[in-house]
Amino acid sequence: KLLDQVPEVRVAALEALAELAEPSLKWMTIVCELLGMEKNPLVTEAAIRILPTVSERGNPFALSVIFAFAEKREASNGVRVAALDAIVRMADKNNEDAVNVVIATMRCQEAAVRGAAETALSHLVDKGDKRAVDAMLRQLSSQDRDCYHHVAALMVLAQVAAKGDPRAIQAAHSVLRTAAVPPVRQAALRVLVVLGDEKDRSQTVDAACFLAKESKDRWLQEQALQTSGDRKS
């Protein structure tokens, strides 16, 4: 069934394999061979998603296959997102090759792929990892972010940066005062709350009060005032 001419049948066969097969060299090899032949993006995506299930965690060959699809520019968004999810499931934390692939994939022009790479990065590094912080600061400086992905990038920055990180705090302050839409500014404020230490307390409260005063958005005013109260208590 894995070689059936109908793509939907191949997808169903892969899903059944994921339910029944134990991790082994045999099944990992079969799925990798299928990925080498497959032309249909939906089948490719399904195969990538089950590869971590039929492989031993950290298997270098399986990881190399997944890395290749994550970086493959001509692959569909679904395939690349599936590969990034698979990296998180397969790679050990701080795996240098995995981190490098994910950071490289964050340069993709497609927002869905960038977002998946940023999320993957937050799972692959320890808090305070300089490479991850550098990468997220570059992402935040990008000018082509919509509201949803701007908020998501700020949340990832809060996850990868260490408490008190001056560059992350400075970046959040900059977004707080320049972002055009309230959800992005509120997310920046949350980053300040998460990362700020005692020496940043007054700046965070001042920023919250600034939002409450300057914003015409009632919801954002309430969030800012609440944050100000949280930091003062």
Side-chain angles (χ1 to χ4, degrees):
K1 295 299 182 181
L2 290 174
L3 299 177
D4 194 279
Q5 291 186 351
V6 180
E8 290 79 5
V9 174
R10 298 200 297 278
V11 170
L14 285 164
E15 292 172 348
L17 182 63
E19 291 290 329
L20 299 173
E22 296 289 333
S24 69
L25 179 61
K26 172 187 173 182
W27 293 119
M28 180 206 73
T29 303
I30 288 173
V31 174
C32 287
E33 287 177 349
L34 176 64
L35 283 167
M37 301 183 295
E38 187 58 59
K39 302 300 182 184
N40 185 287
L42 294 179
V43 182
T44 299
E45 181 180 340
I48 291 171
R49 290 196 183 281
I50 78 153
L51 188 52
T53 303
V54 299
S55 307
E56 296 290 343
R57 183 177 179 86
N59 182 281
F61 181 73
L63 276 172
S64 70
V65 172
I66 295 169
F67 292 161
F69 278 101
E71 294 185 294
K72 193 173 183 179
R73 294 183 180 181
E74 62 270 27
S76 69
N77 286 356
V79 165
R80 298 187 75 182
V81 169
L84 290 160
D85 292 343
I87 289 172
V88 174
R89 294 169 59 197
M90 279 289 294
D92 293 326
K93 203 165 190 178
N94 297 313
N95 180 303
E96 184 172 354
D97 290 334
V99 172
N100 288 339
V101 167
V102 167
I103 289 176
T105 308
M106 287 165 57
R107 302 188 185 100
C108 177
Q109 296 298 312
E110 297 293 335
V113 177
R114 286 201 310 267
E118 291 163 3
T119 299
L121 183 65
S122 70
H123 292 286
L124 290 171
V125 299
D126 293 323
K127 200 168 181 63
D129 187 283
K130 184 179 184 301
R131 297 167 299 174
V133 175
D134 288 344
M136 291 313 304
L137 291 176
R138 286 194 300 271
Q139 293 300 97
L140 285 172
S141 67
S142 172
Q143 300 299 312
D144 62 345
R145 286 191 167 273
D146 59 29
C147 173
Y148 173 83
H149 290 97
H150 207 154
V151 169
L154 284 163
M155 295 300 96
V156 173
L157 178 63
Q159 290 178 278
V160 301
K163 195 172 185 66
D165 185 308
R167 295 186 303 151
I169 290 170
Q170 182 180 3
H173 272 294
S174 176
V175 172
L176 183 67
R177 294 184 178 271
T178 61
V181 291
V184 174
R185 296 170 73 183
Q186 197 264 345
L189 182 59
R190 287 298 180 190
V191 173
L192 292 173
V193 172
V194 171
L195 298 183
D197 53 24
E198 282 303 308
K199 67 183 179 184
D200 303 304
R201 178 188 229 167
S202 61
Q203 278 189 318
T204 302
V205 172
D206 288 346
C209 292
F210 170 83
L211 274 184
K213 180 180 179 180
E214 298 295 325
S215 174
K216 296 180 181 179
D217 184 281
R218 188 170 182 177
W219 169 79
L220 184 55
Q221 290 176 351
E222 292 173 354
Q223 293 295 318
L225 288 169
Q226 179 183 346
T227 302
S228 175
D230 290 345
R231 293 295 286 175
K232 288 177 179 177
S233 60

